[in-house]
Amino acid sequence: MQVDYIIVGLGLAGIAFAEELNRKKKTFLVFEDYSQNSSLVAGGMYNPVVLKRFTSVWNAKEQLETAIPFYQNLERIFDKKYQNSVDIYRIFKSIEEQNNWFMASDKPMLEDYMIPKVIKNTNHYINASYGYGKLIKTGRIDVNSLAKDYRQLLINLNQLKEEKFHYKDIIFKDKGIEYHGVKSNRIIFCEGFGLKENPFFNNLPMREAKGELLTIHAPDLKVNYLIKSSVFILPIGNDRYKVGATFNWKDKTKLPTPEGKRELEFKLNSVISCDYTIVDHTAGIRPTVIDRRPLLGMHKKHKQLVILNGLGTRGVMIAPLMAKKLFQYIENGEQLDKEIDIARFEK
Ligand SMILES: Cc1cc2nc3c(=O)[nH]c(=O)nc-3n(C[C@H](O)[C@H](O)[C@H](O)COP(=O)(O)OP(=O)(O)OC[C@H]3O[C@@H](n4cnc5c(N)ncnc54)[C@H](O)[C@@H]3O)c2cc1C
């Protein structure tokens, strides 16, 4: 078997690169061993504003300009809706925060998204005495459904091998590589936190952050926007809400924990006062990088080996643009921006 590319990992990074290859009529084979599940558990929100500081997310405009058509195209392919507009209501904790919101909402880029007024809270189950700042043109991608549909599609097309990729079995050729009888020009590694097992790239400074999420059923809450406070409460339909997320830099497992659940319940109870039941509890590891920028580039010695990783806490927005840039770099020799190129970590 001969393909243009092998892709290792089919989370958001792998899907974005596979789609780029489809568009450019390249052949590929994917390996996926279900060892990581960041993309499967993600809240799936996209939002160009940093809700802690009311600043713009790095490169947000360019990311969204690529991401929205990318998901729309997948909706056409699967004839299914993955994207939903969801406004964000950021609970103010003080008058000072209200003032900071007004100042930020005047800035270029932010003014398109931040409504410059304080929204009064009218839901007596929500604790928001200083009101809300409202963000518009934000939304959610149902990444779990998308990833499952995409995997099934590739299984049907014989383009997905549901098995672990073994790095030591790569045979290097003058041009390209061979792996278990498959010849390929290149391998694109999209393993998320699985990067730690990759001997060719595990020297890169990933500073992974485990995250846990609850799904609750809260029939009295009745909100159709995301509430953001010490936790986010994201409506997903049928009176269900995702509540998240924790950040843990020590635990390297993808298992939900009693501590994570306690933390989320404690924070949730400080925001809402209606009854709810917990119907699900999930966890995953975000592939975050020490400088909060993605990891793209070629291995210094083996140019056949390429990485697409480090999507961090915002894979939904960032993955499609990074896949595009990586393809142009490999196939057309276009320079990668310094801040995303793994060369920035070379001594
Ligand atoms: C709790 C939580 C909430 C989040 N919420 C949001 C959100 O609201 N919005 C947002 O934009 N982002 C969110 N994120 C972040 C987002 O999930 C990540 O940015 C994104 O999923 C990373 O995608 P990835 O493809 O790089 O990694 P992954 O999704 O981890 O995919 C890597 C894939 O590679 C496979 N793999 C690894 N090693 C091997 C191997 N050797 N052989 C074969 N396969 C292998 C794994 O099984 C996995 O499927 C959240 C993350 C978490 C954990």
Side-chain angles (χ1 to χ4, degrees), residues 280-327:
D280 199 11
H281 180 192
T282 50
I285 302 190
R286 306 171 182 89
T288 35
V289 180
I290 207 151
D291 63 358
R292 305 249 160 203
R293 295 289 179 264
L295 297 170
L296 274 71
M298 278 176 196
H299 189 268
K300 219 172 165 193
K301 178 170 168 215
H302 304 293
K303 304 287 179 205
Q304 307 97 314
L305 307 185
V306 184
I307 182 169
L308 172 51
N309 207 320
L311 303 186
T313 58
R314 295 182 185 271
V316 167
M317 268 173 71
I318 205 171
L321 180 65
M322 291 306 110
K324 208 170 229 176
K325 285 187 185 264
L326 188 65
F327 183 87

Side-chain angles (χ1 to χ4, degrees), residues 104-119:
S105 61
D106 218 15
K107 294 192 177 140
M109 170 71 196
L110 298 179
E111 65 188 358
D112 291 346
Y113 297 90
M114 296 173 77
I115 303 292
K117 61 178 177 192
V118 175
I119 310 285

Side-chain angles (χ1 to χ4, degrees), residues 200-201 203-205 289-291 295-303 305 307 329 335-336 338-347:
F200 300 101
F201 291 107
N203 59 329
L204 291 167
V289 180
I290 207 151
D291 63 358
L295 297 170
L296 274 71
M298 278 176 196
H299 189 268
K300 219 172 165 193
K301 178 170 168 215
H302 304 293
K303 304 287 179 205
L305 307 185
I307 182 169
Y329 165 67
Q335 279 289 319
L336 289 171
K338 279 201 177 71
E339 51 190 343
I340 59 174
D341 191 336
I342 54 170
R344 69 191 187 275
F345 295 115
E346 276 166 20
K347 296 236 165 65

Side-chain angles (χ1 to χ4, degrees), residues 119-126 128 132 225:
I119 310 285
K120 207 167 163 273
N121 178 35
T122 53
N123 185 325
H124 64 273
Y125 289 121
I126 303 173
Y132 307 97
Y225 44 84

Side-chain angles (χ1 to χ4, degrees), residues 32-292:
E32 170 56 60
D33 68 352
Y34 306 106
S35 56
Q36 295 298 321
N37 59 358
S38 187
S39 299
L40 298 182
V41 303
M45 283 300 295
Y46 58 85
N47 156 34
V49 181
V50 180
L51 290 170
K52 217 183 239 172
R53 297 186 296 275
F54 310 150
T55 52
S56 176
V57 167
W58 168 72
N59 228 355
K61 192 162 183 282
E62 200 187 357
Q63 286 177 27
L64 279 174
E65 279 168 3
T66 308
I68 300 298
F70 170 82
Y71 295 110
Q72 284 169 343
N73 184 50
L74 287 167
E75 289 185 330
R76 275 192 293 275
I77 293 173
F78 290 100
D79 192 19
K80 201 165 161 183
K81 193 143 181 62
Y82 300 112
Q83 186 267 351
N84 276 298
S85 297
V86 184
D87 294 340
I88 296 178
Y89 281 48
R90 162 65 154 82
I91 294 180
F92 292 131
K93 296 188 201 81
S94 61
I95 302 279
E96 194 192 347
E97 275 202 340
Q98 292 176 346
N99 291 337
N100 292 345
W101 180 273
F102 277 111
M103 270 157 56
S105 61
D106 218 15
K107 294 192 177 140
M109 170 71 196
L110 298 179
E111 65 188 358
D112 291 346
Y113 297 90
M114 296 173 77
I115 303 292
K117 61 178 177 192
V118 175
I119 310 285
K120 207 167 163 273
N121 178 35
T122 53
N123 185 325
H124 64 273
Y125 289 121
I126 303 173
N127 177 12
S129 48
Y130 289 100
Y132 307 97
K134 180 177 173 182
L135 278 175
I136 54 167
K137 299 193 211 167
T138 50
R140 174 178 185 243
I141 304 296
D142 183 350
V143 183
N144 184 286
S145 296
L146 171 61
K148 285 179 176 161
D149 290 345
Y150 205 87
R151 285 170 186 188
Q152 193 53 52
L153 174 76
L154 293 193
I155 290 169
N156 297 345
L157 295 169
N158 277 328
Q159 281 181 281
L160 178 62
K161 293 222 179 261
E162 296 176 278
E163 61 187 56
K164 186 175 177 64
F165 183 90
H166 295 281
Y167 306 93
K168 62 176 176 35
D169 295 349
I170 300 172
I171 301 167
F172 291 96
K173 304 277 183 186
D174 282 347
K175 275 193 163 183
I177 59 97
E178 190 174 328
Y179 178 80
H180 292 187
V182 181
K183 293 195 174 90
S184 176
N185 298 340
R186 296 190 198 274
I187 307 177
I188 311 295
F189 291 110
C190 307
E191 313 110 312
F193 176 56
L195 169 81
K196 294 281 171 173
E197 288 186 36
N198 183 332
F200 300 101
F201 291 107
N202 64 3
N203 59 329
L204 291 167
M206 183 171 276
R207 189 162 177 260
E208 60 282 352
K210 178 174 177 171
E212 301 192 35
L213 280 170
L214 300 177
T215 305
I216 62 165
H217 181 235
D220 296 331
L221 189 55
K222 300 281 177 248
V223 294
N224 59 1
Y225 44 84
L226 181 144
I227 305 165
K228 175 71 178 110
S229 184
S230 51
V231 279
F232 66 74
I233 305 170
L234 164 67
I236 54 172
N238 299 325
D239 293 322
R240 289 181 180 226
Y241 301 84
K242 278 187 185 284
V243 178
T246 58
F247 276 80
N248 183 326
W249 285 271
K250 286 193 181 131
D251 183 356
K252 308 297 178 195
T253 72
K254 58 174 183 178
L255 299 174
T257 63
E259 300 77 49
K261 186 174 171 208
R262 263 199 303 278
E263 179 186 330
L264 290 171
E265 276 185 286
F266 178 76
K267 289 181 173 167
L268 177 63
N269 293 341
S270 71
V271 184
I272 62 168
S273 56
C274 57
D275 289 339
Y276 63 85
T277 46
I278 297 172
V279 293
D280 199 11
H281 180 192
T282 50
I285 302 190
R286 306 171 182 89
T288 35
V289 180
I290 207 151
D291 63 358
R292 305 249 160 203

